[in-house]
Amino acid sequence: MAKLNIKKMNKNFRGQLITYAMVIIAFVVMQILIASGSVSYLLQGLMVPLCIYSIVAVGLNLCVGYLGELSLGHAGFMCVGAFSSAFFTKCMLNTGMNETVRFLLALVIGTLTAALFGYLIGIPVLRLRGDYLAIVTLAFGEIIKNVINVLYIGRDSRGFHFSMKDATALGLEEDGEVIVNGAKGIMRIPSQSTFLIGVILLLIALFICFQLVNSRSGRAIMAIRDNRIAAESVGINITGYKLLAFTISAAIAGAGGVLYAHNLATLTAQPANFGYNMSIMILVFVVLGGMGSFRGSVIAAVLLTMIPEILRGLADYRMLIYSIILIAMMLFNWSPKFVAFRQAQMEKLFGKKKKEAV
Amino acid sequence: MKKLLSVMMVMAFALSMLAGCGGGATESTGAGSADAGSVFRIGAIGPATGAAAIYGSAVKNGAQIAIDEINENGGINGAQIEYNFQDDVHDAEKSKNAYNTLKDWGMQMLLGTVTTTPCLSVAPLAVQDNTFMITPSASSPDVLVGPNVFQVCFTDPNQGSKSAEYIAENKLATKIGIIYNSADVYSTGIKDKFVEEAKAKGLEIVSDEAFTEDSKTDFTTQLKAAQDGGAELVFLPIYYQEASIILKQAKKDMGYSPIFFGVDGMDGILTVENFDTSLAEGVMLLTPFAADSDDEAVQSFVQKYQEQYGDVPNQFAADAYDGIYAIKEAAEKAGVTPDMSAQEICDAMVAVMPEINIKGLTGGDEGLQWSDTGEVNKQPKAVVIKDGKYESME
């Protein structure tokens, strides 16, 4: 009976349920394994980064898969979310504020700041199309990173001080504290990101994305992607919907950034973590998982983040093997020949099962 | 239905993968408890790949030599040492993963991390777990976040002020240009202190130019600023790779050859591939280690290093070597045994750390001592590059 109900359900809705179930089951299984002590510290430590990259990949998929615009600057939005939330946390550190409340507020602040930046950047950028947009977002991502590298913010009894030169130019009093220290970034941030929070955020991100793409706005966004002129001709507000999707996408990346900032005790804006390499890495998750498939993004992000760590045993060869695996996975997933082969195998397997059942 | 099946397959795959890792972990911890009581497990973390790989490899090799020596001579308190080096690609997040990998392996003491930024993320973990940690070369004072974290190298501010003092006292120059990496904690840390100290000593800073990770291939603007300001000495608190480009552009392309003065990051410049080492002639650097020293221990270390790895060890290798010997000395003084947990070992070793004094390769005549905050106390040496080799300056 239950099976029948599932079958009757809207195909879209079933897909959503499967995705949520997948995340929740993975979480429960991992929690049980961790509780029973059979998971390595490495894997335990990886849980939060896995959530972070899944969240950001889901956010980017909204932009790339549904809006159809290639963004190469999502690491920049992560960076904004990370720094604004870490800044808030540092400011509130000694005020005796409840830790959970502080973290939730940091989360809201990081997400909103990233959304604001996404909105502001979206206004000029979304007037461009295709490759141009990709290049401009790439530039914005780099600008954000470089500005943070020369930004110095300190606080003393007279209030906040800003400088773009160096920490001594802040002119702090004796009791002053440098909060954002240019290239040194923000140090000694309390580690508050947990697996549970990560999974909850991932579920929220998935929920928002699914709701959006299945709503009236979502259909408008996809109409713009598929045929801009046709969409315009039926009176869809192109810029408005584009901005909506881009801002939400940036906000989700910002939430990932908040988790990132509160996972490590130190936060610096370096090419390795917030540079364009990271933006491209996230794009790889999206492309490998399938544009427009949020579930695919999550699976790809989890696999590709875990593989280099699992290959640690191979020492010097691991990055080499990693790239080969990446190529193989891309071929397996997206090469037309492979797809056909996979489907044929699938049918064989499926057919056999049916026969057995009968 | 097909979709459902594919999802189930993916999940089965993912689960089997997780189970695989889980199994691996129990195996390794199982092996750890079986071996416990017979060997000490020392872990090390550093960049073995990526842009900072030369430091990681130097530390890896330097520590290996020290460990081989100790194992040959009967180990620590009669127990052999097992050594495991993990790559962190000079990235804070990867470094945390490397630390957790070592923890799974059953690490009892940590030599690391090699570079500063990753160290800032690993040090709090070591403090939280109460694992003894000594970093050979992470030089920012900010890494000393807990009582169980120690340094073998100088701190950045210390290098900055020592450099300024040295330049002023030996009257090397009065007009100074600086080129530094504003995106690097190490570089800005030294530069800030250098500027402060230089002003106090009456040195004139004529140009103070920065570059970042994204603009480290062309330095003509920065060099031009120094040249226009009439700098007689250019201070380079940066790593050797960028320094090699600066030297090439200044001497070959611009015909500008002031004194170039570096700090310990400059160490390694003679091993840059495709770099004409004659360009480095006359470059001065402040480093606690000189491979040409006639000290017996240094000579034997250099010889072993050359035999095994084919090149002259730099200061990072020497710091790692000293780090391992510091662990040995403290472990022996504290009387720890391999069957103790990492926490017990840590407590015992932290207590005796301020009392030990090792000769070391980088300690000079007075040796190395540690304060209870984890900072090292040793004397820097100035060397000048002459005929493609370091030569101590008097």
Side-chain angles (χ1 to χ4, degrees):
Chain A
M1 203 46 204
K3 206 172 179 185
L4 249 158
N5 274 343
I6 290 177
K7 269 192 175 168
K8 266 188 188 165
M9 269 180 213
N10 180 318
K11 201 181 157 203
N12 249 326
F13 187 61
R14 211 170 62 202
Q16 286 180 37
L17 280 189
I18 293 172
T19 310
Y20 297 138
M22 186 186 83
V23 174
I24 293 169
I25 291 173
F27 172 69
V28 171
V29 169
M30 278 317 293
Q31 284 296 52
I32 293 171
L33 286 178
I34 290 172
S36 67
S38 52
V39 178
S40 61
Y41 291 114
L42 172 67
L43 207 55
Q44 285 183 36
L46 268 177
M47 284 304 126
V48 177
L50 290 180
C51 292
I52 295 170
Y53 295 123
S54 301
I55 291 169
V56 182
V58 166
L60 184 64
N61 204 342
L62 186 65
C63 182
V64 178
Y66 286 91
L67 185 60
E69 300 288 9
L70 194 57
S71 165
L72 293 178
H74 261 56
F77 296 124
M78 250 180 104
C79 184
V80 170
F83 272 86
S84 54
S85 64
F87 178 71
F88 171 79
T89 305
K90 281 293 275 186
C91 289
M92 291 293 157
L93 212 49
N94 297 321
T95 53
M97 193 185 225
N98 180 297
E99 279 190 13
T100 319
V101 176
R102 189 183 68 205
F103 184 62
L104 288 178
L105 278 177
L107 197 57
V108 172
I109 287 172
T111 312
L112 287 182
T113 320
L116 178 71
F117 272 75
Y119 183 74
L120 292 178
I121 290 170
I123 293 173
V125 161
L126 288 172
R127 280 158 214 281
L128 296 166
R129 267 177 258 168
D131 307 344
Y132 304 104
L133 181 106
I135 288 163
V136 177
T137 48
L138 178 74
F140 268 110
E142 291 297 295
I143 290 171
I144 289 170
K145 188 190 82 202
N146 281 315
V147 166
I148 284 175
N149 270 332
V150 293
L151 190 65
Y152 296 83
I153 305 175
R155 183 177 63 166
D156 60 12
S157 51
R158 289 172 296 158
F160 288 103
H161 300 262
F162 297 86
S163 163
M164 297 288 266
K165 199 170 167 290
D166 55 36
T168 40
L170 291 170
L172 291 180
E173 285 175 6
E174 283 291 296
D175 62 335
E177 178 197 15
V178 181
I179 298 176
V180 182
N181 197 353
K184 292 187 192 178
I186 303 179
M187 276 180 271
R188 299 183 190 184
I189 308 160
S191 300
Q192 284 183 301
S193 301
T194 60
F195 188 24
L196 178 66
I197 293 171
V199 166
I200 293 174
L201 274 182
L202 176 58
L203 287 173
I204 294 175
L206 283 169
F207 180 76
I208 291 173
C209 288
F210 276 129
Q211 291 307 310
L212 179 71
V213 298
N214 290 317
S215 67
R216 187 189 158 86
S217 310
R219 285 188 290 277
I221 290 167
M222 283 182 274
I224 296 169
R225 174 193 67 187
D226 293 337
N227 193 328
R228 185 189 156 97
I229 298 169
E232 215 164 8
S233 74
V234 293
I236 290 175
N237 178 356
I238 303 252
T239 319
Y241 280 117
K242 270 185 158 182
L243 262 180
L244 176 75
F246 193 72
T247 308
I248 292 176
S249 175
I252 294 175
V258 177
L259 276 183
Y260 185 94
H262 293 79
N263 182 34
L264 304 167
T266 165
L267 179 65
T268 51
Q270 284 184 333
N273 54 4
F274 294 131
Y276 70 93
N277 273 335
M278 177 55 86
S279 293
I280 288 172
M281 196 66 221
I282 302 164
L283 188 65
V284 168
F285 298 154
V286 172
V287 174
L288 181 67
M291 293 202 201
S293 161
F294 295 122
R295 191 196 306 149
S297 300
V298 175
I299 295 172
V302 168
L303 286 183
L304 290 187
T305 314
M306 257 165 53
I307 287 173
E309 297 304 331
I310 289 170
L311 292 179
R312 263 185 190 281
L314 298 170
D316 293 349
Y317 297 102
R318 76 190 172 110
M319 288 330 274
L320 187 71
I321 305 273
Y322 176 68
S323 16
I324 293 172
I325 291 181
L326 194 59
I327 294 170
M329 280 171 82
M330 280 289 177
L331 283 175
F332 179 75
N333 255 10
W334 299 111
S335 150
K337 278 270 161 66
F338 253 118
V339 172
F341 173 75
R342 241 174 38 213
Q343 274 170 352
Q345 290 299 314
M346 218 45 134
E347 260 158 36
K348 245 188 189 169
L349 207 75
F350 190 61
K352 253 187 195 170
K353 268 202 170 168
K354 222 175 181 181
K355 263 184 201 164
E356 276 168 11
V358 174
Chain B
M1 207 55 212
K2 215 164 72 190
K3 238 183 180 170
L4 196 72
L5 193 72
S6 71
V7 170
M8 276 168 63
M9 280 184 66
V10 165
M11 275 177 60
F13 173 59
L15 272 177
S16 67
M17 216 163 128
L18 287 181
C21 315
T26 36
E27 243 169 58
S28 70
T29 44
S33 53
D35 274 2
S38 56
V39 291
F40 279 108
R41 292 179 168 227
I42 298 183
I45 303 173
T49 54
I54 195 163
Y55 307 114
S57 322
V59 165
K60 185 181 175 183
N61 299 342
Q64 186 71 54
I65 289 178
I67 285 170
D68 289 346
E69 280 180 15
I70 294 173
N71 279 344
E72 268 170 39
N73 297 329
I76 299 174
N77 293 334
Q80 295 281 299
I81 305 171
E82 215 175 295
Y83 171 57
N84 187 344
F85 184 91
Q86 287 292 330
D87 183 17
D88 70 359
V89 210
H90 183 41
D91 179 67
E93 199 186 328
K94 300 279 186 310
S95 207
K96 189 180 171 185
N97 295 337
Y99 176 82
N100 281 330
T101 309
L102 288 171
K103 208 166 136 188
D104 289 327
W105 171 69
M107 164 179 66
Q108 287 164 306
M109 304 122 174
L110 172 64
L111 179 79
T113 68
V114 174
T115 42
T116 298
T117 311
C119 202
L120 290 170
S121 80
V122 167
L125 297 175
V127 172
Q128 199 187 328
D129 293 338
N130 202 16
T131 302
F132 184 83
M133 170 168 171
I134 184 161
T135 165
S137 49
S139 47
S140 161
D142 298 309
V143 305
L144 302 171
V145 291
N148 56 337
V149 185
F150 295 87
Q151 275 171 326
V152 182
C153 58
F154 299 117
T155 57
D156 298 335
N158 200 338
Q159 288 203 55
S161 56
K162 282 275 188 332
S163 300
E165 256 172 48
Y166 190 87
I167 292 169
E169 274 168 21
N170 292 291
K171 299 198 172 52
L172 293 176
T174 50
K175 288 184 168 184
I176 292 170
I178 301 175
I179 303 177
Y180 74 103
N181 183 350
S182 66
D184 188 37
V185 181
Y186 163 81
S187 192
T188 47
I190 297 175
K191 179 242 158 195
D192 287 347
K193 194 69 191 180
F194 178 83
V195 171
E196 206 181 302
E197 190 69 24
K199 278 184 185 148
K201 296 274 179 201
L203 300 171
E204 191 193 345
I205 310 269
V206 291
S207 77
D208 182 358
E209 297 288 321
F211 64 93
T212 68
E213 292 296 323
D214 303 308
S215 58
K216 58 179 184 186
T217 46
D218 182 27
F219 299 97
T220 37
T221 336
Q222 289 92 334
L223 284 166
K224 194 93 187 87
Q227 194 175 21
D228 291 346
E232 302 151 9
L233 182 146
V234 176
F235 182 57
L236 303 173
I238 53 177
Y239 286 131
Y240 65 92
Q241 253 160 348
E242 291 86 46
S244 70
I245 302 172
I246 290 179
L247 288 175
K248 182 181 165 289
Q249 288 183 336
K251 292 191 175 172
K252 251 194 179 156
D253 306 344
M254 295 170 66
Y256 173 50
S257 41
I259 302 173
F260 285 101
F261 195 97
V263 283
D264 62 0
M266 183 78 95
D267 193 13
I269 191 150
L270 295 175
T271 56
V272 178
E273 272 177 49
N274 300 326
F275 175 67
D276 180 3
T277 47
S278 67
L279 291 173
E281 284 300 295
V283 170
M284 293 177 189
L285 58 145
L286 213 56
T287 164
F289 172 73
D292 74 328
S293 158
D294 45 17
D295 186 274
E296 219 173 280
V298 174
Q299 281 315 313
S300 119
F301 173 69
V302 172
Q303 200 193 339
K304 274 184 194 161
Y305 198 96
Q306 272 177 319
E307 273 170 21
Q308 290 180 28
Y309 306 106
D311 43 31
V312 178
N314 57 18
Q315 176 224 332
F316 289 83
D319 278 336
Y321 182 91
D322 283 356
I324 294 289
Y325 270 98
I327 290 179
K328 174 180 185 275
E329 190 74 20
E332 279 175 355
K333 189 146 200 163
V336 297
T337 49
D339 57 350
M340 290 162 86
S341 73
Q343 289 70 32
E344 290 165 343
I345 290 177
C346 180
D347 287 336
M349 282 172 67
V350 167
V352 298
M353 228 17 215
E355 298 163 24
I356 67 165
N357 180 351
I358 62 166
K359 173 91 177 32
L361 303 176
T362 62
D365 298 330
E366 286 145 46
L368 298 128
Q369 288 134 35
W370 280 268
S371 68
D372 53 7
T373 54
E375 235 176 272
V376 72
N377 183 14
K378 60 180 180 182
Q379 284 302 315
K381 281 183 204 139
V383 297
V384 63
I385 295 175
K386 217 174 188 182
D387 302 327
K389 266 197 220 144
Y390 289 165
E391 216 157 84
S392 302
M393 282 166 59
E394 291 310 319

